[in-house]
Amino acid sequence: MDPERDYEEIWQLVTAYEFPWDYWQSVSLAFFRTFAIPSISALLEETGEIVGHTQKRADDTLLIMYEMGRLGLESPEGRAYLRRMNQMHRRYVISNEDNLYTIALFIVTPAQWINRFGWRRLTVHEQRALTNYGRRLAHLMGIKDVPTTFADFDQFAQSYERLHFAVTGSSRRLAEGAMAFTEELLPKSLRGPLKPVMRRYSLAGLDDALLHAVGLPLPRARDRRLVTWLLRTRGRLLRVLPPRPDSRPHRPVLATYPDGHQVCEIGPGWLTEGRPDEQNNAVHDPL
């Protein structure tokens, strides 16, 4: 397969068959990193979706990313999800650099996670295909000055973080809201005793620079070593297990949409409750 031509199919195989759990865990981590950029955290807090509608916001992000990849960025069905995402974004003033940083995270963070914790490392072709997929998505979002290579995306993300990472009230509140949401995923009967454990080991999976920038405490060194060991051990075990029987993508089960969904249901209330000016206006689509 050619990563310059077949990048969407390679993306689907990597994310839905080879490393489904690793990919979506790393995407969640990538989104969490955006909280440490003051301009992004202020905007996310302004929308009220992260704190006020945490489950739906998380499900909508996952759903749009999943369906665009499954259906294809060039297909009419995939474009419907892309337009929905652009409709949600166009109401706000988002700088080109913030958009580009977010795209860079969705390319770099999964590759780094998989190479560190997956059952094998990504091949050069796979990494190039993920990069090309992100480049195409950035183009369809109207983002300019898009890097060409994975290394360029990585360098841009690192430079942007060194320049902009800073703790603010917004970053603290968003991070705490995300941590609380993660804890609420525990079974009700176990939340009391397991909440402190969940928080300890969630913090242990985050790097020091990120924790400083969102105002969360640093974990104990032994907790960080344990989390690293558990994730790497999982990868080693998967390596010796029989391969999965097929490569058909499995839709994630989302609490917000237990019976399925329509594109028009995705997004915040102002977009889903009959705002024809927001729903019907053209969005960036260079084709």
Side-chain angles (χ1 to χ4, degrees), residues 23-138:
Y23 183 78
W24 294 113
Q25 292 298 312
S26 61
V27 164
S28 298
L29 175 59
F31 186 62
F32 191 91
R33 294 193 79 82
T34 65
F35 297 170
I37 305 294
S39 54
I40 298 179
S41 63
L43 176 61
L44 290 172
E45 187 176 44
E46 177 189 341
T47 69
E49 296 299 310
I50 299 293
V51 176
H53 307 92
T54 308
Q55 181 74 66
K56 188 175 191 305
R57 180 63 171 81
D59 287 350
D60 286 348
T61 299
L62 173 59
L63 189 58
I64 287 177
M65 292 290 293
Y66 174 82
E67 293 291 359
M68 285 194 302
R70 182 181 70 87
L71 297 167
L73 295 175
E74 313 305 332
S75 71
E77 296 83 3
R79 286 295 177 91
Y81 286 92
L82 176 67
R83 287 189 173 92
R84 194 63 171 179
M85 180 177 68
N86 284 341
Q87 286 167 352
M88 287 187 282
H89 289 170
R90 69 184 296 272
R91 192 184 197 192
Y92 307 99
V93 178
I94 308 173
S95 72
N96 187 75
E97 290 73 20
D98 281 352
N99 272 327
L100 185 56
Y101 171 70
T102 303
I103 289 291
L105 289 182
F106 279 88
I107 295 171
V108 172
T109 307
Q112 292 175 338
W113 176 289
I114 290 169
N115 287 340
R116 188 180 183 193
F117 300 124
W119 66 270
R120 65 168 174 82
R121 295 176 63 85
L122 291 175
T123 67
V124 173
H125 273 39
E126 287 170 333
Q127 192 160 289
R128 180 62 186 164
L130 293 182
T131 302
N132 285 335
Y133 182 89
R135 282 173 47 78
R136 181 58 176 156
L137 178 58

Side-chain angles (χ1 to χ4, degrees), residues 49-244:
E49 296 299 310
I50 299 293
V51 176
H53 307 92
T54 308
Q55 181 74 66
K56 188 175 191 305
R57 180 63 171 81
D59 287 350
D60 286 348
T61 299
L62 173 59
L63 189 58
I64 287 177
M65 292 290 293
Y66 174 82
E67 293 291 359
M68 285 194 302
R70 182 181 70 87
L71 297 167
L73 295 175
E74 313 305 332
S75 71
E77 296 83 3
R79 286 295 177 91
Y81 286 92
L82 176 67
R83 287 189 173 92
R84 194 63 171 179
M85 180 177 68
N86 284 341
Q87 286 167 352
M88 287 187 282
H89 289 170
R90 69 184 296 272
R91 192 184 197 192
Y92 307 99
V93 178
I94 308 173
S95 72
N96 187 75
E97 290 73 20
D98 281 352
N99 272 327
L100 185 56
Y101 171 70
T102 303
I103 289 291
L105 289 182
F106 279 88
I107 295 171
V108 172
T109 307
Q112 292 175 338
W113 176 289
I114 290 169
N115 287 340
R116 188 180 183 193
F117 300 124
W119 66 270
R120 65 168 174 82
R121 295 176 63 85
L122 291 175
T123 67
V124 173
H125 273 39
E126 287 170 333
Q127 192 160 289
R128 180 62 186 164
L130 293 182
T131 302
N132 285 335
Y133 182 89
R135 282 173 47 78
R136 181 58 176 156
L137 178 58
H139 174 67
L140 293 173
M141 292 175 63
I143 300 173
K144 299 177 175 58
D145 303 320
V146 180
T148 303
T149 68
F150 179 88
D152 291 338
F153 274 107
D154 187 18
Q155 182 178 10
F156 172 81
Q158 290 187 49
S159 298
Y160 207 65
E161 289 179 354
R162 285 195 297 268
L163 185 62
H164 293 288
F165 261 18
V167 62
T168 63
S170 296
S171 67
R172 287 177 183 271
R173 288 186 289 271
L174 290 175
E176 283 294 341
M179 296 292 289
F181 170 68
T182 301
E183 293 161 2
E184 290 300 312
L185 297 177
L186 293 167
K188 288 184 179 180
S189 59
L190 299 176
R191 284 179 192 170
L194 289 187
K195 266 189 177 184
V197 178
M198 172 72 84
R199 174 166 288 247
R200 278 177 54 193
Y201 292 121
S202 295
L203 292 175
L206 307 175
D207 60 270
D208 289 358
L210 176 58
L211 291 169
H212 281 304
V214 295
L216 291 176
L218 299 182
R220 292 182 290 191
R222 65 184 182 186
D223 289 343
R224 183 162 281 167
R225 288 194 298 269
L226 177 59
V227 168
T228 300
W229 180 83
L230 289 171
L231 290 170
R232 286 179 171 168
T233 299
R234 172 188 173 274
R236 295 188 188 103
L237 289 174
L238 287 177
R239 186 177 181 87
V240 300
L241 291 177
R244 283 173 291 280

